[in-house]
Amino acid sequence: MPVNPPGGSNPNVPSSSRVYAFGRDGKDDYEADRRAAEQAMAAVPGARESARNNRDFLGRAVRHLSQLGIRQFLDLGTGIPSQGNTHEVAQAQAPESRVVYVDNDPLVMSHARTLLTSAPEGRTAYIEADVRDPRSILDHPDVLATLDFTQPIALVMVAVLMHIPDQDDPAGLVKAFAEALPQGSYLVLSHLTLDFLSEETAENYLSVTANQATHRTPRSREQIAGYFDGFELVEPGLVAVSEWRQTPFFTDTSTWMYAGVGRKL
């Protein structure tokens, strides 16, 4: 558990990244984060397993793209570092890979700068920014110094857009980032859904999370598929997160996430 929060982190207000990290592996959180996560997990069977499968999907997707020759990754909404971080997976395949991590939580950035060390052949950068302001990221000098926007880049938005409410136009945000990427780039995306759940479980989830400080918007398959406009989904398409190119690493009691990877046309 973090003791001294970095500047800008409020331990009394739950953070999406810390709540998610607690649900995944139960560390690097404050009491407010644990309380929010425990309330949600009490109402949502399989939520922790689904979070772990979502993390495993990230590794499988990055590994697959590395095998296809992708050497650049822009990881938005990085979250608390854990095992199998984007640069670790990518640089295990190709040490020269370059990765930029982006998050708006100072605690995440504090951990990232301490723990996420690049292979000497590659490069890793970390910037504190909000995904709702694409230009602040795309024009950031550390991003421009690390990534070559004339060559394919994998845009990683794993469990990110579910924290963006409709009024902030998540589809428009994806489009803004996608327009900056050259042809042959990829979008790696996973998103919360209630599609696979019983009506009772879905209602329990909405009831428990309605008044929580950490905003999460579940969306349908059709809505999530819309984020891939301008991309061609690679096999097996947009599927339950545990079904993307592998049987689940953790057995899901219920499935809470869709996942997919698309290539920019």
Side-chain angles (χ1 to χ4, degrees):
M1 180 184 75
V3 177
N4 298 311
S9 279
N10 185 345
N12 299 313
V13 177
S15 155
S16 296
S17 58
R18 298 194 303 266
V19 169
Y20 182 76
F22 178 81
R24 186 186 66 226
D25 52 28
K27 61 181 182 178
D28 295 315
D29 48 72
Y30 300 110
E31 182 179 353
D33 305 310
R34 294 193 296 276
R35 187 163 53 246
E38 288 168 350
Q39 287 174 350
M41 286 190 293
V44 291
R48 172 163 279 176
E49 290 81 2
S50 196
R52 292 173 176 175
N53 276 328
N54 185 63
R55 183 70 178 185
D56 196 50
F57 158 70
L58 169 65
R60 298 199 305 275
V62 171
R63 189 175 302 110
H64 176 68
L65 294 183
S66 295
Q67 292 168 352
L68 294 179
I70 299 299
R71 298 293 180 262
Q72 302 188 106
F73 298 82
L74 178 57
D75 189 335
L76 304 180
T78 300
I80 302 289
S82 182
Q83 293 182 341
N85 299 292
T86 298
H87 79 285
E88 294 171 331
V89 178
Q91 292 180 351
Q93 301 288 319
E96 70 274 19
S97 296
R98 293 175 166 233
V99 179
V100 174
Y101 291 106
V102 181
D103 206 285
N104 66 347
D105 186 333
L107 178 65
V108 170
M109 288 295 96
S110 176
H111 279 286
R113 294 185 182 100
T114 301
L115 299 174
L116 305 184
T117 304
S118 174
E121 301 92 332
R123 184 164 180 174
T124 305
Y126 326 91
I127 68 168
E128 187 177 328
D130 195 317
V131 299
R132 292 171 296 182
D133 186 1
R135 291 298 354 153
S136 72
I137 296 170
L138 296 169
D139 295 335
H140 195 285
D142 290 348
V143 174
L144 297 176
T146 305
L147 303 178
D148 178 358
F149 280 81
T150 69
Q151 299 298 316
I153 295 171
L155 177 65
V156 179
M157 304 186 79
V158 169
V160 171
L161 293 176
M162 65 196 213
H163 298 293
I164 306 296
D166 292 340
Q167 59 263 33
D168 286 337
D169 188 17
L173 295 176
V174 177
K175 183 178 180 181
F177 283 107
E179 287 177 344
L181 305 179
Q183 185 179 13
S185 294
Y186 286 84
L187 172 61
V188 179
L189 187 148
S190 65
H191 197 295
L192 177 70
T193 187
L194 304 182
D195 284 4
F196 300 103
L197 308 177
S198 68
E199 183 176 348
E200 179 182 3
T201 301
E203 289 178 352
N204 285 344
Y205 172 82
L206 293 173
S207 175
V208 167
T209 60
N211 297 316
Q212 287 189 340
T214 54
H215 179 88
R216 293 183 292 275
T217 300
R219 295 185 171 99
S220 68
R221 187 184 190 282
E222 180 180 7
Q223 290 174 302
I224 298 167
Y227 298 139
F228 287 94
D229 184 33
F231 292 83
E232 181 181 16
L233 282 164
V234 303
E235 291 294 333
L238 185 61
V239 296
V241 68
S242 58
E243 296 177 2
W244 199 86
R245 291 183 174 262
Q246 183 174 303
T247 54
F249 187 67
F250 297 94
T251 302
D252 284 327
T253 304
S254 300
T255 296
W256 291 88
M257 306 284 284
Y258 277 115
V261 175
R263 183 179 186 274
K264 185 176 179 180
L265 300 172

